[in-house]
Amino acid sequence: MAERFAGRVAFVTGAGSGIGRATASLLALEGARVFAVDVNRDGLSETVGSIRAAGGQADGTHCDVTDPASVQTAVERTVAAFGGLNILVNVAGIGGFLRFEELELADWQRTLAVNMTGAFITTKAALPHLLTPPAGNVVNVASTSALRGVAYAPHYAASKAGLLNLTRSLALEFATRDLRFNCVCPGGVRTPLGRFFIRREDFEAHLIDYAAPPKPGNFADPIDIARIIAFLASDDARMINGAALTADGGTLA
Ligand code: NAD
């Protein structure tokens, strides 16, 4: 396969695990120079180490996407190391089930800070570089939770719906400046995050059973989502802008 990302620099958040790691690895395999960031230092070095071991180009740093100074430093390090920043992939995220009575303001604020405001902060920091040719783009990892209500996870669903409409709004605002913004909306994916979405005894089961995919047990692996992210980030998706690409095996169909 031709290297779709030769000459491109990709900045991937949440790259120390799950979907972020799979995305960083796939983009590097297809020729991108990848700058990986995460708050998980061990996971991050594993990602960077495995990309390099496979012959790819990667660097990375500890970075909390909720902290503008931390993000600014990471973006500057990317540009210093690789000479630019063309593709921004916002994967970092947190979540899990909680009854509304147990959901504290701090949980609400932290979830919105990481899942929604984090993408605002990284986009602001990367923007001058994204606007520098060749045409740049941003892929945000939302969720099917952006597209419907989720019992026991209003904080998560609100953060992802906010992320989706941030994406759509920026897609419109930057369409004339060759900068695309898209979302992937996965259903269930086998990653460490999934353990926070376990149904509890005290939940009304029928309120969350809707989430069962039409093919039982049809959860995605991180690489399935990474392939969709890579497609959206590539020139193959030149005409896709402001999309919410659902990747749930048909659950919402
Ligand atoms: P994961 O837990 O494997 O990876 C998430 C990564 O984000 C972790 O490495 C974590 O350390 C990092 N992170 C968390 N807070 C951060 C912060 N403040 N700054 C930087 N990094 C931070 O989970 P995953 O399933 O790969 O999740 C990736 C994205 O996919 C998330 O946005 C999640 O909401 C979304 N998603 C996951 C599923 C699923 O079923 N796993 C479904 C839909 C959407």
Side-chain angles (χ1 to χ4, degrees), residues 14 16-23 91 141 156 186-198 213 215-227 247-249:
S17 177
I19 298 167
R21 171 178 291 163
T23 302
V91 191
V141 178
Y156 185 73
V189 189
R190 289 187 196 88
T191 71
L193 187 87
R195 70 181 182 271
F196 298 112
F197 284 98
I198 304 262
K215 183 175 167 192
N218 194 17
F219 291 104
D221 288 315
I223 186 66
D224 296 315
I225 308 304
R227 288 195 184 104
D248 67 348

Side-chain angles (χ1 to χ4, degrees), residues 174-198:
F174 286 95
T176 55
R177 289 198 265 169
D178 268 350
L179 179 55
R180 297 184 295 115
F181 289 82
N182 289 293
C183 263
V184 181
C185 297
V189 189
R190 289 187 196 88
T191 71
L193 187 87
R195 70 181 182 271
F196 298 112
F197 284 98
I198 304 262

Side-chain angles (χ1 to χ4, degrees), residues 31-183:
R33 284 164 290 164
V34 172
F35 200 89
V37 303
D38 202 298
V39 287
N40 174 353
R41 292 178 196 274
D42 291 344
L44 190 60
S45 9
E46 209 177 310
T47 302
V48 172
S50 69
I51 292 174
R52 288 179 178 167
Q57 289 190 68
D59 203 344
T61 188
H62 175 274
C63 166
D64 182 341
V65 297
T66 68
D67 174 1
S70 168
V71 170
Q72 189 60 41
T73 302
V75 167
E76 282 166 16
R77 282 190 56 178
T78 306
V79 176
F82 296 140
L85 197 174
N86 316 109
I87 297 165
L88 169 63
V89 190
N90 286 303
V91 191
I94 55 172
F97 282 142
L98 271 180
R99 295 186 78 92
F100 189 65
E101 293 91 330
E102 300 163 341
L103 184 64
E104 300 292 342
L105 179 60
D107 301 317
W108 172 267
Q109 287 175 329
R110 183 69 191 160
T111 306
L112 264 70
V114 176
N115 295 0
M116 186 180 71
T117 311
F120 167 84
I121 292 171
T122 58
T123 305
K124 287 286 268 188
L127 188 66
H129 309 292
L130 293 168
L131 287 170
T132 306
N137 75 85
V138 178
V139 181
N140 292 326
V141 178
S143 163
T144 48
S145 308
L147 304 169
R148 59 154 301 146
V150 183
Y152 310 116
H155 52 321
Y156 185 73
S159 72
K160 294 298 187 178
L163 176 62
L164 174 53
N165 249 7
L166 169 69
T167 309
R168 288 169 166 156
S169 303
L170 295 180
L172 281 172
E173 188 165 337
F174 286 95
T176 55
R177 289 198 265 169
D178 268 350
L179 179 55
R180 297 184 295 115
F181 289 82
N182 289 293
C183 263

Side-chain angles (χ1 to χ4, degrees), residues 19-31:
I19 298 167
R21 171 178 291 163
T23 302
S25 304
L26 182 59
L27 295 179
L29 193 67
E30 293 202 41

